[in-house]
Amino acid sequence: MFWTSYLLAVLALILAWPVPVLLSRARWPARSPFTAMVLWQAIALAGGLSMIGAMLVYGLEPVGDNLLAGLRSLAGMVFYNEPTTALGFWHLFALSAAALLTAHLVFTLLLTYYKIERQRRRHRELLALLASPSDDGPGTVVINHDSPVAYCLPGGARSVTVLSDGLMAALEPAELRAVLIHENAHLSQRHDLLLWAFAAWRQALPWFPTTRLAQTAVNSLIEMLADDVALRTESKGTLIKAIAIVASGSSQPTIGTHAFTTGGAVVEGNSVSATGGADSPRTTASRVSRLLSPLPPLTRGLRILVLAASILLLAVPTALLIVPGLLG
């Protein structure tokens, strides 16, 4: 149990600092945004599991040879008033920290979801009053706003794409199609769920570099993923011009909504700006640079290698926690 807690603590430390720093500086994620997105999720999940697992295993070390045995002994202490003398101060402290951290993460995740849902509801109410249906397709509305604005408001069957008068006047038909395809990609690929998860993670652990770097990277990667969908039917020049036009406008729609800021991007009721409206200048610049100077896609072998590493990241802490108990 001691060595298990030690290994988990080392893994948590590695995933909290050097790994996200190195990944955030790498150039290959732009060559395969989906693969990079999977890796970031694996780092987040494995890091959290290792952090909590290290404290839990250390705390249970005196009362069990493995995690399952330790949990059974702990349950006896809690529910059957068995003696707790085997647990020293630091073991009780570690168990309390593990329980508090788990509760904090879950509570922050739920609280973030509640805030997003509340802001989405208010946003839809405002759109019902201020927006008019668009001729560009179902689920698309137009707001009376001079600046070029485009974003989508997720909500399942109630999802809507919002465009401004200024945007529609500034874009050519092909550029407008690129914007709409981009927005629909955000909705169909449920990028709002990724924004929610990583925003909650940063809210819960704002002092961890992993949370900031991961959120910034995810904001950029979802835009690249949506760009790739738009490029299936529209040219790079068309998409670049659309990005530039939207980026030149307001950073968010001014229709009386309250912005939910998630670091590198602004999520308006967990809406997603598709072509620059809510992107940070850094994200917009990286997208345009990617389109102007494209790198070759990541080879199939390298993609498989990164995906295998992502699976391994999740498997290692899980195995350290569960396998000894099953074998015992």
Side-chain angles (χ1 to χ4, degrees), residues 2 33 45 51 87 106 108 148 201 211 213 223 258 274-275:
F2 171 78
L45 291 172
M51 191 188 314
L87 295 176
V106 173
T108 304
W201 193 29
T211 62
L213 294 173
E223 296 298 331
H258 298 282
T275 54

Side-chain angles (χ1 to χ4, degrees), residues 178 181-182 185-186 191 220-232 234 239 243 274-275 279 283-284 286-288 290-291:
I181 294 170
H182 189 126
H186 280 311
H191 293 161
S220 180
L221 289 171
I222 64 170
E223 296 298 331
M224 293 179 185
L225 286 169
D227 283 343
D228 289 343
V229 175
L231 288 174
R232 294 174 187 172
E234 305 300 329
L239 182 57
I243 293 173
T275 54
D279 294 342
T283 298
T284 301
S286 65
R287 292 171 60 201
V288 173
R290 177 176 181 257
L291 294 170

Side-chain angles (χ1 to χ4, degrees), residues 57 126 130 192 217 254 261 263 276 308 317:
V57 170
L126 288 169
L130 303 177
D192 56 297
T254 55
T261 306

Side-chain angles (χ1 to χ4, degrees), residues 29-154:
R31 300 169 59 188
S32 183
F34 175 79
T35 307
M37 185 77 74
V38 172
L39 182 57
W40 274 113
Q41 293 178 75
I43 290 171
L45 291 172
L49 183 61
S50 299
M51 191 188 314
I52 295 172
M55 293 184 290
L56 186 61
V57 170
Y58 174 79
L60 295 174
E61 180 189 357
V63 294
D65 295 330
N66 54 67
L67 180 62
L68 296 180
L71 289 174
R72 284 195 294 267
S73 298
L74 183 63
M77 297 175 189
V78 174
F79 297 108
Y80 302 107
N81 295 320
E82 294 179 3
T84 61
T85 53
L87 295 176
F89 170 80
W90 289 111
H91 298 106
L92 291 172
F93 178 83
L95 290 174
S96 300
L100 289 173
L101 179 58
T102 302
H104 177 59
L105 290 174
V106 173
F107 175 78
T108 304
L109 186 68
L110 296 176
L111 180 62
T112 304
Y113 180 79
Y114 168 76
K115 289 180 178 179
I116 288 173
E117 282 299 306
R118 182 180 61 183
Q119 290 165 357
R120 281 184 184 176
R121 183 174 61 253
R122 293 176 178 175
H123 200 137
R124 289 192 184 92
E125 292 172 353
L126 288 169
L127 289 176
L129 294 173
L130 303 177
S132 56
S134 171
D135 296 330
D136 294 291
T140 304
V141 298
V142 180
I143 57 174
N144 184 14
H145 192 53
D146 293 335
S147 296
V149 172
Y151 64 97
C152 55
L153 185 65

